[in-house]
Amino acid sequence: MKRLIPAILLLITLMASCSNEKPYTIQGRVELPDSLLVGDSLMATPSLEGWQVYMLNLDGESIDSVEISDNQFYFEGMVDKTDPYFVYLASDLCVGLIAIEPGDIEVVIDAESLTATGTPTNDMMIDIDATLLNLQQDTYAEMAALTQEYGEAMPDSLIMPLYQDYMSKYNQVVDSFYQANSEGLAAVYCVNVLTSHAQGSDDLVEAISDYPEEIQNSPLLQSRLAYLRSIESYYQMLEGQMQDTTSFSLEDLMHDAQISTPEAN
């Protein structure tokens, strides 16, 4: 019996080490100043004690929630290391996309954003966003210099090359991240950013068509595609209603308003 117990413990340990299920934790904190600018007024920051932080799937449905206590919150769970996934964390302050993957994830919520670090995909997402923000700020600085030099008379021939240069550098930056992270969630996020300028569902389908099917069919890109299609369907419905309205005759409209048209003499 004494020999049997160590053998059972060894078996349990081996089974646990072979399992694809791995733990993740989200240790979050809220960092706000003592006062916030609301409109034109400076107001004292309210206590966040008891406020909820929600974990949402990519369809916006709540799958978990916790309360903020002493400006901190905490999630934990298990995730298949071969099948990590994206979720949104949402509060009354902001919403942010994060990767659920094995490891310890640190989340900071401030008055404007939600950032997640501590695991490979989340760290890469932060690096991409920071690099693109620097690029954007450099472009704004160039635009400000041109505006100061030319004022309202600045010709379009100067604006368009600046925009084209920005987009070229933008694509180069994100593509370099994709080349270094061409699989898994990291690759999906890169492609999502690379195609962020798609104007509609058809544009998005074309933009992702050159990437592997597992990226094209990823929940993140498919949820975005479904969203674009829902918006397009909504506007098509509105256009149809407007066409139906304009097809009415004046007599129909007056009849609907319970006004009779004068009879011809």
Side-chain angles (χ1 to χ4, degrees):
M1 184 66 181
K2 291 183 179 179
R3 293 181 180 178
L4 181 59
I5 293 176
I8 293 175
L9 293 176
L10 177 61
L11 179 60
I12 293 173
T13 302
L14 289 173
M15 290 176 63
S17 65
C18 293
S19 173
N20 285 333
E21 291 284 314
K22 301 295 180 184
Y24 74 86
T25 64
I26 299 175
Q27 181 65 61
R29 67 182 186 275
V30 181
E31 297 182 351
L32 295 177
D34 294 334
S35 57
L36 295 172
L37 186 63
V38 180
D40 295 329
S41 303
L42 197 62
M43 302 181 63
T45 301
S47 170
L48 304 183
E49 193 73 16
W51 285 29
Q52 294 284 325
V53 178
Y54 298 93
M55 183 182 291
L56 311 175
N57 64 20
L58 295 178
D59 294 325
E61 301 165 338
S62 178
I63 55 179
D64 198 359
S65 65
V66 295
E67 286 188 355
I68 296 174
S69 176
D70 195 24
N71 287 328
Q72 297 185 0
F73 58 92
Y74 183 80
F75 291 92
E76 64 179 352
M78 302 294 289
V79 59
D80 188 332
K81 67 180 181 181
T82 65
D83 191 24
Y85 54 92
F86 286 112
V87 299
Y88 293 107
L89 286 190
S91 71
D92 289 341
L93 295 170
C94 58
V95 179
L97 182 72
I98 75 167
I100 299 296
E101 54 192 352
D104 297 321
I105 303 166
E106 296 183 10
V107 171
V108 176
I109 295 177
D110 60 27
E112 298 180 350
S113 64
L114 182 153
T115 58
T117 58
T119 58
T121 303
N122 287 304
D123 288 343
M124 187 214 67
M125 290 163 63
I126 291 294
D127 288 343
I128 289 180
D129 293 347
T131 305
L132 291 178
L133 178 60
N134 289 335
L135 175 61
Q136 186 181 70
Q137 291 173 340
D138 290 344
T139 304
Y140 283 161
E142 291 182 57
M143 177 65 76
L146 289 173
T147 302
Q148 186 174 10
E149 181 177 355
Y150 291 94
E152 296 182 359
M154 182 168 57
D156 291 342
S157 59
L158 293 178
I159 299 176
M160 187 53 65
L162 184 62
Y163 173 75
Q164 291 172 339
D165 182 60
Y166 166 75
M167 288 306 305
S168 176
K169 291 177 179 177
Y170 178 102
N171 291 330
Q172 289 174 11
V173 164
V174 185
D175 187 63
S176 67
F177 278 96
Y178 175 75
Q179 296 302 324
N181 305 272
S182 58
E183 296 180 353
L185 285 189
V188 171
Y189 184 76
C190 289
V191 173
N192 188 58
V193 176
L194 277 168
T195 60
S196 61
H197 296 88
Q199 297 298 307
S201 60
D202 289 343
D203 286 344
L204 180 56
V205 169
E206 182 178 356
I208 66 177
S209 62
D210 292 333
Y211 295 97
E213 286 190 9
E214 58 267 25
I215 291 180
Q216 296 182 43
N217 297 326
S218 64
L220 181 62
L221 288 171
Q222 286 300 310
S223 67
R224 185 171 150 217
L225 189 58
Y227 172 77
L228 289 173
R229 285 172 173 163
S230 69
I231 295 297
E232 291 164 353
S233 296
Y234 175 74
Y235 279 107
Q236 288 172 0
M237 180 191 69
L238 290 182
E239 289 176 0
Q241 290 177 348
M242 292 177 64
Q243 290 173 358
D244 290 343
T245 301
T246 55
S247 67
F248 291 152
S249 66
L250 176 61
E251 186 174 353
D252 291 332
L253 294 174
M254 295 182 72
H255 180 271
D256 289 342
Q258 296 183 341
I259 300 175
S260 59
T261 56
E263 296 182 0
N265 293 329

